[in-house]
Amino acid sequence: MLRKMSSFNDSAQALLFDPRELAPVYPESMITRPFPFNAFYDIDQVPDVDAHAYQLDLSGLVKGKRIWTLDELHALPQQGQVTRHICIEGWSAIGKWGGVRFSDFLLRAGADTTAKYVALHCADNYWTSIDMPTALHPQTLLTLTYDGDILPAKYGFPMKLRVPTKLGYKNPKHIVAISVTNEFPGGYWENQGYNWFGGS
Ligand SMILES: Nc1nc2c(c(=O)[nH]1)N[C@H]1C(S)=C(S)[C@@H](COP(=O)(O)O)O[C@H]1N2
Ligand SMILES: [Mo]
């Protein structure tokens, strides 16, 4: 029953959600320090991803390049944002992230932007997925930095997808693979009952 309500919610929210609507942005003076850490494990279990061996694997409905190194991602045009992260557990915090606009990345990689979903798989076996309008939203950012420095391990080294129009659990850290698909990918928390649309 709850699951049915939640999937009804997903379609209702997709209709209500305006893909052009922007999340609020804040001055740097409002950044929350220290920014909180959260994951489905304690901070001493944070995955240790090797920067040199790292490759981002892009799969599914993609015509172009499928393997990306960190250097290649750093060489793309970079954007920044100061936005509020809202966790469903009842806290929120303002942070500053920098990286590649996700729509730029998807277009350069030749992703089929008529596909329904983008799934993001993480080094800690976490995963989540977003609808294509959210993937193409101008504030959805493939982040490589936090507060001007290389993204620290606790905040998702080497890469976190910052989606300021979505709740915290739809902001995956330690991304190792991305797939573009028409098959519903679900997510770690979503499959345990969290609403899939998860708009904030
Ligand atoms: N890989 C991965 N990403 C994740 C999580 C996780 O457990 N593993 N937790 C999510 C949740 S519920 C929150 S609130 C944010 C916390 O991000 P932060 O540690 O940068 O505050 O990460 C999200 N992304
Ligand atoms: Mo969260």
Side-chain angles (χ1 to χ4, degrees), residues 35-41 85 87 89 91 122 124 126 154-155 160 168-169 171-174 189:
F35 191 86
F37 160 82
N38 196 26
F40 66 90
Y41 41 77
H85 171 111
C87 174
E89 289 172 58
W91 57 271
C122 308
D124 55 4
Y126 189 87
K154 60 182 172 178
Y155 301 144
K160 157 179 175 147
Y169 62 88
N171 285 242
K173 306 191 284 185
H174 318 287
W189 286 119

Side-chain angles (χ1 to χ4, degrees), residues 58-137:
L58 187 62
S59 67
L61 304 170
V62 176
K63 287 206 195 80
K65 201 167 146 54
R66 288 175 170 254
I67 300 287
W68 291 77
T69 63
L70 281 179
D71 287 345
E72 288 166 336
L73 294 169
H74 279 280
L76 297 179
Q78 308 285 305
Q79 317 273 333
Q81 65 173 255
V82 179
T83 51
R84 185 185 293 277
H85 171 111
I86 303 170
C87 174
I88 200 168
E89 289 172 58
W91 57 271
S92 82
I94 295 172
K96 180 183 168 190
W97 292 272
V100 182
R101 194 174 274 175
F102 199 40
S103 64
D104 284 354
F105 171 74
L106 290 174
L107 293 173
R108 271 167 205 264
D112 176 358
T113 55
T114 68
K116 283 192 185 155
Y117 308 109
V118 178
L120 306 123
H121 308 273
C122 308
D124 55 4
N125 292 323
Y126 189 87
W127 86 102
T128 186
S129 53
I130 55 175
D131 53 288
M132 188 60 77
T134 298
L136 300 177
H137 185 282

Side-chain angles (χ1 to χ4, degrees), residues 8 44 63 111 150 185:
F8 169 75
D44 56 349
K63 287 206 195 80
I150 293 294

Side-chain angles (χ1 to χ4, degrees), residues 17 25 43 47 49 56 66 77-78 96 122-124 137 151 168 178:
F17 175 77
V25 295
I43 197 159
V49 178
L56 174 66
R66 288 175 170 254
Q78 308 285 305
K96 180 183 168 190
C122 308
D124 55 4
H137 185 282
L151 199 65
I178 298 178

